[in-house]
Amino acid sequence: MRPATELENLLGKADSLTIVCHNNPDPDCLASALALGRIAAAIGIDERRILYSGEISHQQNRSFVNLLEMDLREFDPADVTDRESSELLAFVDHSVPGSNNRVPEDVSVDIVIDHHPAEDIAATFVDHREEIGATATILTEYLRDLDIELNDRLATALLFAIRRETLGFLRGVTPDEYGAAGFLADTADSGLLRQLSSPSVSGATVDAIADAIENRTVRGSVLISHVGRTGERDALPQAADYLATLEGVETAIVFGIVEDAIQLSARSTDSRVNIGDVLSESLSDVGSAGGHREMAGGEVPLGIFADYTSDDTVLVDIVEQVISARLFAGLNLSEES
């Protein structure tokens, strides 16, 4: 039985569907949630909601939500606990309660659709394909297999998500992404695609990227930098994307202090490096991290760092030294490299 049919059978027994996005959701997660909601509606589930936690602060993500007029609700644990058997809970673009989401670890999940590396996934329906370039690709397959009619809004959302997740079909792309894009292209709104692709950038984001450029350290083909303390969390992946294009750089990692945690974003085109594993192993005892061979992220609670000093300048210096040392060690690079 194809996954789409299995999903259809499960949804056919439900009265409601709650779709939980991961923390600070990106276009792949948001478009996948939108598509799963469309499938549920076609099957006859009238009560549907999409929840998110964290922030939608990246200008591209804000544009995505606003231009596509997505109806999102902030996550509340009460929405996912003490459910009836007919009230289904779904994860898209993430897979484990408590990991990159605020769902309590003891909550049972009914549906998981994801392409990120993960272990110990437990749900009634699981479609976990690490080899696929985007979760939106999987949802597009379902829509096609179930012969559910697409409107231009949903087709645009899915096509943009696939393009964004694969960096314009240059990162982690498979033939499935090209097939999905071909299927979506005729229905997608090209004007809306252009708007989504070129959102305005805030001055604070530009300043954070400038700080990352200024603070960079390069050893061999590895670049590590930081932006100090910032309120622009989403400037970190943008800075990593940019710095990874510098001549001679194959791996770029950018971190910064955002509120009460150290956030990291990493990119790599080095075939010898699985950057998701590098971050995970480097930070396993102090925080959490993960991702793909070419793209990853992580978070370290400030914790003991914050106890060293109340001086933010000194705190940034301490964080820069400790995190950089861990990352270079994880990449087996000495100061002489």
Side-chain angles (χ1 to χ4, degrees):
M1 186 183 299
R2 292 182 65 82
T5 305
E6 290 184 41
L7 178 64
E8 181 182 38
N9 291 340
L10 179 60
L11 290 173
K13 303 172 185 176
D15 294 326
S16 70
L17 175 65
T18 297
I19 304 168
V20 175
C21 295
H22 57 62
N23 294 339
N24 313 302
D26 60 3
D28 192 26
C29 183
L30 293 167
S32 298
L34 199 62
L36 182 56
R38 175 70 184 91
I39 292 169
I43 291 171
I45 298 178
D46 294 327
E47 187 178 340
R48 306 176 305 278
R49 53 192 171 190
I50 300 174
L51 310 181
Y52 79 98
S53 51
E55 298 179 355
I56 300 177
S57 55
H58 190 302
Q59 62 271 7
Q60 204 161 58
N61 300 345
R62 289 198 302 268
S63 294
F64 190 95
V65 170
N66 293 333
L67 291 172
L68 295 170
E69 300 178 342
M70 289 192 68
D71 183 12
L72 302 177
R73 287 174 45 179
E74 289 194 37
F75 177 78
D76 182 341
D79 291 328
V80 300
T81 55
D82 300 322
R83 308 188 317 273
E84 298 292 333
S85 59
S86 62
E87 299 173 341
L88 299 185
L89 172 64
F91 283 1
V92 290
D93 207 37
H94 60 129
S95 55
V96 180
S99 178
N100 199 22
N101 59 68
R102 295 181 183 170
V103 177
E105 293 182 6
D106 60 348
V107 168
S108 62
V109 182
D110 301 292
I111 298 167
V112 169
I113 306 167
D114 190 20
H115 77 122
H116 294 96
E119 297 178 355
D120 302 322
I121 301 174
T124 306
F125 173 87
V126 177
D127 193 348
H128 180 226
R129 308 187 207 174
E130 291 185 26
E131 73 279 6
I132 291 291
T135 300
T137 302
I138 302 173
L139 269 299
T140 300
E141 175 191 298
Y142 295 170
L143 290 163
R144 194 171 190 173
D145 286 354
L146 297 174
D147 197 25
I148 293 175
E149 185 176 355
L150 281 169
N151 57 30
D152 58 351
R153 173 170 159 266
L154 179 56
T156 302
L158 288 166
L159 182 54
F160 178 77
I162 293 169
R163 285 176 51 182
R164 181 67 189 87
E165 190 72 4
T166 61
L167 280 185
F169 301 96
L170 295 175
R171 178 183 64 199
V173 68
T174 73
D176 292 301
E177 275 68 55
Y178 291 110
F183 172 69
L184 297 166
D186 287 342
T187 310
D189 183 327
S190 59
L192 185 54
L193 272 175
R194 283 192 293 272
Q195 284 183 276
L196 291 170
S197 300
S198 304
S200 59
V201 180
S202 70
T205 295
V206 173
D207 289 342
I209 294 173
D211 287 339
I213 295 170
E214 172 99 17
N215 296 328
R216 69 190 187 278
T217 298
V218 179
R219 294 185 190 173
S221 62
V222 173
L223 182 153
I224 294 179
S225 189
H226 71 92
V227 301
R229 183 179 285 280
T230 180
E232 299 294 305
R233 177 190 178 279
D234 289 299
L236 300 177
Q238 293 177 78
D241 282 334
Y242 177 75
L243 291 172
T245 66
L246 294 183
E247 185 176 1
V249 171
E250 295 181 320
T251 298
I253 307 174
V254 179
F255 60 91
I257 300 173
V258 182
E259 296 181 350
D260 58 355
I262 304 159
Q263 302 286 345
L264 300 94
S265 187
R267 303 290 185 264
S268 183
T269 58
D270 189 337
S271 61
R272 301 165 298 175
V273 173
N274 184 317
I275 198 60
D277 289 347
V278 169
L279 286 197
S280 181
E281 292 165 8
S282 300
L283 306 173
S284 61
D285 61 329
V286 293
S288 61
H292 300 284
R293 173 175 290 278
E294 299 178 334
M295 178 176 63
E299 178 177 303
V300 177
L302 272 179
I304 193 170
F305 289 107
D307 295 333
Y308 280 126
T309 178
S310 58
D311 186 323
D312 224 34
T313 301
V314 175
L315 177 62
V316 168
D317 287 342
I318 294 171
V319 167
E320 189 275 329
Q321 292 176 41
V322 173
I323 297 298
S324 293
R326 280 178 170 268
L327 294 172
F328 280 127
L331 289 157
N332 296 314
L333 291 171
S334 64
E335 291 185 13
E336 292 75 30
S337 297

